[in-house]
Amino acid sequence: MPFNLEKFKTAYQKWVSESLPEYEAGRMTEIVKRYPFVVSDDIPWTPYRGRPSEQTFALVTSGGLFLKDSQPAFDDVSIHGDPSFRVIPKSVSQKDIGIAHAHYDHSLAEQDIDIIFPIHRLNELAEEKIIGKVADSNYSFSYVNDVATLVTETIPEYISRIKADGVDVVLLMPV
Amino acid sequence: MTEAAGIPTISMGNMADRMAHIKPPRALLVKFARGSMFGEPGNVARQRRILLDALDALKTMTEPGTIRELPYRWKQPDPA
């Protein structure tokens, strides 16, 4: 584990109990300042090798994207956020995508999802053979404060999936 | 954690102070607001260009923690 999980959990529980009234009142500025942010001392690093034209690329966003007709929306009410992810297929259309994230303005992305999740541009690069292929499964996370669940459950599941899919490079698109 | 699992990443960002704190392994910094990391809606050429910049960064960044600032601005033509 890249950080002290037990120490985080203790600090996080204290933050939740102290911050809940302000969170529920929508007063985010102060509670964000108090949040026990987890910062790694080291920068994890895997050297890049090979050629994009022979490799598989996946997109990962924190934008709260989900498929309106087949997937549940993220919980955008809880102070814990929602530590789960949704699989977004590379064939997705703009009209299929919903956005559940209460902490950024997604009105423009609802017009053009590629300004936060450029899946259609990436597909075009694959058609032009600039990259090898786009992974069939791409991933969206949403707003999360419960980092403990994220790092112990959700992220390991996501990593085992992208490895099984043969993903060579991940493009990280935070919002 | 993706990098620690052996898969290289390139990250986008729009807040230099936050990126200095998070320390992504390789990153591109843009001047666009939250919620529109690739600029104004419908600017297909801009979106493509930033992805090509990401591929270039992947191939050329050799130091962990490198952040490259991109020059693009909202609704202005891209520099040559």
Side-chain angles (χ1 to χ4, degrees):
Chain A
M1 205 51 62
F3 66 96
N4 186 328
L5 192 61
E6 292 310 314
K7 189 176 164 192
F8 170 79
K9 282 182 179 172
T10 304
Y12 177 66
Q13 283 162 7
K14 181 168 180 279
W15 177 81
V16 168
S17 60
E18 289 176 355
S19 303
L20 195 53
E22 288 165 273
Y23 180 85
E24 289 176 342
R27 294 196 296 270
M28 297 299 295
T29 310
E30 286 305 311
I31 66 173
V32 168
K33 285 181 191 163
R34 290 202 301 265
Y35 181 79
F37 279 104
V38 172
V39 182
S40 174
D41 291 334
D42 302 323
I43 301 175
W45 177 262
T46 296
Y48 175 73
R49 294 191 178 90
R51 292 188 199 136
S53 61
E54 297 170 354
Q55 295 177 323
T56 300
F57 286 69
L59 278 184
V60 176
T61 179
S62 56
L65 279 54
F66 65 101
L67 301 179
K68 284 189 283 195
D69 290 341
S70 58
Q71 295 173 345
F74 289 95
D75 181 344
D76 60 0
V77 176
S78 168
I79 191 171
H80 301 293
D82 187 333
S84 64
F85 61 74
R86 305 287 178 271
V87 174
I88 309 294
K90 68 177 175 183
S91 59
V92 72
S93 300
Q94 178 83 35
K95 65 177 172 47
D96 300 329
I97 295 177
I99 301 179
H101 191 311
H103 300 281
Y104 78 101
D105 178 356
H106 36 81
S107 56
L108 294 178
E110 282 161 15
Q111 298 170 33
D112 181 1
I113 200 64
D114 284 67
I115 64 171
I116 58 169
F117 187 74
I119 189 72
H120 302 106
R121 298 296 85 73
L122 201 59
N123 284 331
E124 289 162 8
L125 296 186
E127 286 161 18
E128 295 172 49
K129 305 196 186 317
I130 293 170
I131 63 169
K133 63 177 285 203
V134 181
D136 291 334
S137 296
N138 299 269
Y139 294 86
S140 181
F141 293 80
S142 188
Y143 178 76
V144 191
N145 287 320
D146 176 13
V147 171
T149 302
L150 192 70
V151 302
T152 57
E153 297 177 24
T154 323
I155 297 284
E157 167 71 12
Y158 143 78
I159 285 173
S160 82
R161 284 170 176 250
I162 59 171
K163 286 193 146 187
D165 287 346
V167 171
D168 295 298
V169 178
V170 171
L171 303 174
L172 295 170
M173 305 287 156
V175 295
Chain B
M1 289 175 75
T2 307
E3 293 263 353
I7 298 175
T9 64
I10 172 93
S11 181
M12 299 291 298
N14 56 5
M15 285 182 272
D17 55 343
R18 186 177 287 201
M19 290 165 82
H21 193 64
I22 296 172
K23 296 186 280 193
R26 299 171 196 78
L28 297 177
L29 174 64
V30 293
K31 296 182 171 80
F32 303 123
R34 199 158 182 226
S36 49
M37 195 70 89
F38 286 71
E40 66 274 25
N43 192 336
V44 170
R46 168 74 50 75
Q47 295 161 4
R48 173 190 168 89
R49 171 128 187 199
I50 292 175
L51 281 180
L52 294 175
D53 289 336
L55 295 182
D56 182 66
L58 194 62
K59 291 187 278 190
T60 57
M61 287 180 176
T62 54
E63 286 295 314
T66 305
I67 297 174
R68 183 175 298 163
E69 187 168 351
L70 299 181
Y72 315 132
R73 292 184 182 277
W74 191 267
K75 290 192 174 174
Q76 280 192 7
D78 294 346

